[in-house]
Structures are given as structure tokens and as C-alpha cells.
Amino acid sequence: MADTIKCPRCAANVVFDVSKQKITCAFCGTEFAPEELMKEINEEKLFEHAKAEEPTANKLEWEKQQFACNSCGATVFADVNTSTTFCMFCGSPAIIAERFTGEFEPDYIIPFKIDKDTATTKFLKWCKGGLMTPFNFVSPKNIAKMKGLYVPFWLFDVDAKLDMVGTGKKVLVTNSGNETTTITDVYNVTRKMNACWNNMPFDGIDRIDDDLMAAVQPYNYDDLVKFSPMYLPGFFSEKYDVSAEDLTNRVVYRSKEYAKKIFKEYTTEYNSSTISQDNSEYNVYDHDYALFPVWFLRYKYLGKTYEFVMNGQTGEVAGIPPQSIVKKIMASAVVLAIAAVIVKIIVSLMLGGFVG
């Protein structure tokens, strides 16, 4: 079953209005604070059937699954990781409840802060900054394909006992007349301390490039709230397909990078410092599961697929725009034309006058 959240006043569909940060009903106009609607509907009852039954989706050969829309009864098709989508027949937001239960129930969510109109404006501005970007890429028609997506994230807590040994160099340069003297003193440096990093973020979705997701961070955790499905209607979402255990090595690696920065910060008295030995211990002792907002766009150009993401909270954009062959040819033609004029001027000067 693909669930929809209904207005308690008129039973029409509701959506999360980003600009108002409220749940709104387009039919009767009633607005609800998320926590208010959650009390009226009873969230536990909303997902009750999903928790009580085995998944009933029919798996298809192309790794799609189908569910019945509880608004119109039509079939809702979804990828195996899709947890929130829309009914193609009636347009109702569709929440696949079984993908929010058990191990897939998020602990937290950061609601969207940037609506689609604002996202479109920001993205158009960003795209037009690329001189070689194809003309049709920056068109509103193309950017209209951008969709709001809640991306699964793991937030890790790490304790570390830092124990690093290295060297620090102090360089003294003196000038006497025409002579410059450089004296370098090398010191043994040891740094031992405890460190702790909370809510270290890693995306838990395989199909979106990790570098893209890292590029639009950080998120402001002041907006992190306890998960509620009330924030989902009107947006897509996916459940994780990369487990917390799969990310452990990356968490430790990032912790080591943070530790190197700490070593540098604590050795600023030296002109330079290096770590020769790291006996630190890192303990990934806890993690939470959260959904973070992203505006996502996939674009095909000359047979190649390009992906772009925008932080749905801060508006930070990441991606590499395609380069237009037409614009490259035009730019080359302009360069050649300018070069031809310069050559003509040089030749005319060499001949003592302008060549007609």
C-alpha cells in the first residue's frame, strides 16, 4: 500500500509547504504545524499496517515494485529504494510506509528550507556562470525537471585517543649585507589528547556521487528535528542502500584527516610540522539515521549523463555542467578572427602602412 496523508478537515491530500514550514491542504486551505497534524492523525496508526504485515509489493523483472495508491487505487511504481513518490494517475503524494519501519525508520530529518521556485532561480544563476554551458541547459524548461529529494544520511559519533609523534621546524632567516643566512631548527613534537566528533555525516545512497553530496555540505544541525512523515508529502525520498557498517572505514579515514588538522593547529608555533607516527585509536561508537533535503537534477547531453545537487537547506550547488560544442566553435571562431586582425595589423606595420 502507498499511503497518503489526508487533511483531518476535508480528507483531501496535504503537502509540506516549504515557504510556510507548515502542512497545507490545497482543497480547504487549512494549515497545520507538523507536530499538530501528527497528533491529530496519530503517526503510529498511519504506519500500523506496514508494521503488522510482511511487505506485499510485487517485484518486477526490472527491479521496480508496485503498490496500490490508497487515494485512487491505481498502481504506483517505485524503485526498490524509493520510499516517497507520487501516483502517476491522480498525482497524490505516495508514502511507502514499509520503507520507514524497522531498521529503515529514520531518527531525524532536516526539512526543506528552499522551495522549488527559489531553487530554480538559484540554479539558473549558477548555470549561467558557465560560459560554455549549452543554451538549452540553462532553460527553465529543462530545470523544471529538478526534483526535491530527501537523501538518507548516517550521522556517526566518534571518540578518539590521539597519540601523534612528529617534527616541527623553526626557520630563522637573517640578512647581513649581501649575505642571507638560514638557520633551521628541528624539534621532536608529541601530541596526546582526547577528541570527539558528533554527527559526522555520510550519505547512505549509492546512486548519487559521494563527491557531489560532500560538496553541498555542511548542513545546519540547528534544523535537525525528530523524524516525522509529515515533512514528506510533496517530495521524493529514498531509503538507504549503503549500511552504517559499510561506511566504517570511511568514517575512520575522515577521523584521521580531522586528527591531522588538529596536529597542525597545535603546532602553529613552528613554520612547518609533519607527523611521522600515528598511534591514535578511533572508536566509532554510535550512529543515527537521518534524511537531508536535496534538489536533484539529472541531465543528458550528447549521450553523457550529468548530475547536479543543491542543498535543500542552504542552497549550495555542486556539479560539472556540460560544455556546448556550438559555443566552443563560436569561441574558436572569435579567437581566430581576432588573431587574423592582429596579424593584419602587424603585417601592415611591417610594410609601413595598412594593407587594404
Side-chain angles (χ1 to χ4, degrees), residues 245-299:
E245 290 72 21
D246 292 335
L247 293 168
T248 301
N249 290 338
R250 288 180 56 196
V251 175
V252 172
Y253 176 82
R254 185 180 294 182
S255 300
K256 290 181 178 180
E257 293 300 305
Y258 289 168
K260 290 178 183 178
K261 291 181 180 179
I262 290 176
F263 184 85
K264 292 292 184 182
E265 291 171 357
Y266 277 79
T267 54
T268 53
E269 61 192 277
Y270 304 101
N271 296 101
S272 64
S273 61
T274 57
I275 301 172
S276 58
Q277 189 175 352
D278 187 354
N279 299 316
S280 304
E281 297 178 3
Y282 301 91
N283 175 33
V284 183
Y285 68 90
D286 198 9
H287 61 265
D288 288 315
Y289 178 37
L291 298 180
F292 287 176
V294 164
W295 286 102
F296 180 79
L297 176 65
R298 179 177 281 118
Y299 177 73

Side-chain angles (χ1 to χ4, degrees), residues 227-246:
F227 172 75
S228 168
M230 302 303 152
Y231 296 102
L232 301 176
F235 298 97
F236 292 88
S237 69
E238 297 202 1
K239 67 178 180 64
Y240 70 84
D241 58 4
V242 179
S243 70
E245 290 72 21
D246 292 335

